[in-house]
């Protein structure tokens, strides 16, 4: 009987741990998106996450090909708790990296980055 109870506790713990891992706010959509080639400099970067994010404790940055930060910040809207935006300056043709670090509503920090290209006219 003790063995079944112990196995049940372990199974319950594993299920709860897996549920917590899936609750983090992972990136589900981006504009511009990863590996995207855009004809003109985007006016903003928009990131959408699988769960809610805390804009006051989150950051989006655009880095140039040399790794230098071009702009950094993040804005959120109460009616879109899973979305963050960053106003982009006029970007010259070239490769850029969008780097983000967000605080999920569940208290976990999620980080990532991806590349996009502004094509020359």
């Amino acid at each position: 009987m003790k063995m079944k109870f112990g196995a049940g506790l372990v199974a319950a713990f594993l299920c709860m741990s897996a549920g917590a891992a899936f609750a983090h706010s992972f990136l589900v959509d981006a504009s511009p998106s990863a590996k995207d080639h855009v004809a003109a400099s985007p006016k903003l970067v928009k990131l959408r996450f699988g769960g809610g994010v805390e804009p006051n404790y989150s950051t989006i940055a655009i880095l140039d090909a040399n790794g230098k930060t071009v702009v950094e910040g993040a804005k959120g809207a109460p009616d879109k708790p899973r979305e963050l935006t960053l106003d982009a300056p006029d970007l010259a043709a070239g490769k850029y990296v969008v780097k983000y670090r967000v605080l999920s509503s569940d208290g976990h920090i999620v980080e990532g980055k991806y590349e996009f290209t502004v094509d020359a006219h």
Side-chain angles (χ1 to χ4, degrees):
M1 189 69 159
K2 284 184 183 179
M3 192 90 140
K4 286 183 185 178
F5 180 72
L9 273 177
V10 169
F13 175 75
L14 289 174
C15 286
M16 288 181 353
S17 296
F22 292 119
H24 304 333
S25 297
F26 294 108
L27 185 66
V28 295
D29 191 34
S31 177
S33 61
K35 304 293 182 196
D36 210 359
H37 283 257
V38 295
S41 176
K43 300 284 183 213
L44 64 91
V45 171
K46 181 167 64 172
L47 305 181
R48 193 167 52 87
F49 297 88
V53 294
E54 300 292 336
N56 294 334
Y57 302 100
S58 301
T59 305
I60 302 171
I62 299 175
L63 287 69
D64 66 16
N66 297 319
K68 182 182 175 198
T69 300
V70 176
V71 66
E72 186 172 7
K75 286 190 242 177
D79 60 330
K80 296 179 182 178
R82 296 178 180 207
E83 193 173 288
L84 293 174
T85 60
L86 172 66
D87 292 330
D90 192 27
L91 301 172
K95 288 190 182 217
Y96 294 89
V97 172
V98 172
K99 188 175 176 181
Y100 58 90
R101 184 175 196 272
V102 301
L103 177 63
S104 300
S105 296
D106 69 0
H108 291 90
I109 293 173
V110 177
E111 297 179 281
K113 63 182 176 179
Y114 68 88
E115 226 178 68
F116 75 95
T117 303
V118 176
D119 291 331
H121 308 35

